[in-house]
Amino acid sequence: MSKRNLRFLRNEVIEQITEKRIREYEAKTKQAVTFPVPIDEIIEQILGLDFDWDEIKELPGEQILAGLDSVNKKILLNEKHVDLFEEKPGLYRSTIGHEAGHFDIDIDRAKLLHPTLPGVDYKPSIAHRHAVKANRTIEVLTDRAMTDPRAAKLLNRITANLDTPDQKSVVDRYQSAMLMPKWLVIEASQNIDLTTWPALYRFAETCQVTISNLVVRLQRLKLIYMRGDDKTLYRSRDEFTGQQSLF
């Protein structure tokens, strides 16, 4: 499967792509998107992906949440973790958004069904998102089934490789922009004190996202500023600098 060069995919481009998908959904349904963004419907109706539950094998220390079967246009959710998704809907939504990002901007869909060698039956490519319990990080495993003669020796094998930092960054930014469109966040922020944690938790609940996802999104949009591990929230870096100068 061909992978796109994501190194120079700027935030502005990702914002444009996700906004285009949302606007396409609005035009199709004749309904304006509000929080919480109907991401599952956008994925189904605009990207043409289906959802399916399956038992995905896990290695010791792994917790695989979902996978992308790009050839068959399916997001596979690990049925082992139904309870976790029900407990944390924000995690479920970011997970399917993450896999949708792989399909929409990571892979070259034009080459998914490229003719293979006669008699060669390649397995579909699957991108597994998993959490390593040891360090609580979220990563993406991409199982590649090659579709050119050089990959013939890898026939019927799936080689698991961690996403590059570029891939991980871009699909995470994609799901964040899809779940929290810039114009909706800015509009909502006019009536929310973004410098208080209780307000942020309520906002996260409205968006149906995790609090960490929301905080990263607000920082990326420069609507709040945090200094390292300091949990104090500021409206901007300038405000933080001004506060520091008082001491």
Side-chain angles (χ1 to χ4, degrees):
M1 178 180 63
S2 175
K3 307 293 286 185
R4 296 177 179 174
N5 185 353
L6 304 177
R7 179 173 298 178
F8 303 109
L9 197 58
R10 305 187 310 275
N11 288 337
E12 292 82 0
V13 175
I14 295 175
E15 297 285 349
Q16 292 170 4
I17 294 171
T18 52
E19 179 175 354
K20 182 175 185 293
R21 300 304 180 219
I22 293 173
R23 298 308 187 191
E24 289 172 343
Y25 174 80
E26 290 179 327
K28 184 175 183 178
T29 62
K30 303 297 190 295
Q31 294 182 347
V33 165
T34 58
F35 288 129
V37 171
I39 189 168
D40 50 349
E41 295 180 15
I42 294 173
I43 290 172
E44 287 179 321
Q45 298 187 36
I46 303 305
L47 295 182
L49 292 173
D50 293 324
F51 298 95
D52 199 1
W53 291 91
D54 197 2
E55 182 173 328
I56 301 175
K57 292 182 180 180
E58 298 169 327
L59 296 175
E62 286 183 340
Q63 186 184 57
I64 299 175
L65 301 178
L68 172 66
D69 180 348
S70 52
V71 172
N72 294 307
K73 301 182 70 173
K74 285 186 178 182
I75 291 177
L76 303 176
L77 296 155
N78 196 344
E79 62 186 21
K80 294 180 180 180
H81 304 300
V82 173
D83 292 343
L84 179 61
F85 284 136
E86 291 181 348
E87 178 186 351
K88 300 179 178 180
L91 178 62
Y92 166 79
R93 287 163 57 79
S94 66
T95 297
I96 64 174
H98 190 106
E99 303 302 341
H102 270 294
F103 185 79
D104 200 12
I105 59 178
D106 187 5
I107 65 173
D108 187 346
R109 298 199 298 276
K111 296 183 179 180
L112 285 179
L113 300 179
H114 187 275
T116 60
L117 294 175
V120 175
D121 181 20
Y122 292 102
K123 293 183 179 180
S125 173
I126 301 177
H128 288 162
R129 182 174 186 184
H130 73 108
V132 181
K133 294 180 180 179
N135 58 15
R136 302 177 66 85
T137 62
I138 298 294
E139 299 171 325
V140 178
L141 285 178
T142 303
D143 295 337
R144 296 182 178 87
M146 307 302 290
T147 58
D148 63 76
R150 293 172 300 176
K153 65 181 180 179
L154 298 178
L155 180 62
N156 293 326
R157 290 183 57 191
I158 296 179
T159 303
N161 297 290
L162 286 176
D163 263 8
T164 66
D166 293 330
Q167 286 174 309
K168 182 182 186 303
S169 171
V170 76
V171 292
D172 275 340
R173 284 182 283 147
Y174 178 97
Q175 62 84 9
S176 179
M178 183 73 83
L179 289 169
M180 293 166 280
K182 182 177 180 178
W183 68 94
L184 289 182
V185 173
I186 292 177
E187 179 182 352
S189 69
Q190 305 304 310
N191 301 309
I192 299 173
D193 184 356
L194 298 179
T195 62
T196 65
W197 284 102
L200 289 192
Y201 274 96
R202 288 193 296 270
F203 192 19
E205 185 175 349
T206 297
C207 299
Q208 290 187 11
V209 298
T210 63
I211 187 65
S212 59
N213 203 358
L214 174 63
V215 168
V216 170
R217 179 62 168 158
L218 293 175
Q219 290 183 95
R220 187 169 289 133
L221 293 176
K222 300 187 184 305
L223 293 174
I224 62 172
Y225 177 78
M226 291 177 61
R227 176 75 172 184
D229 294 331
D230 183 2
K231 297 301 181 181
T232 304
L233 297 164
Y234 300 91
R235 291 180 176 83
S236 66
R237 182 183 181 89
D238 288 342
E239 181 181 273
F240 165 76
T241 303
Q243 290 289 333
Q244 293 299 106
S245 66
L246 297 177
F247 296 97

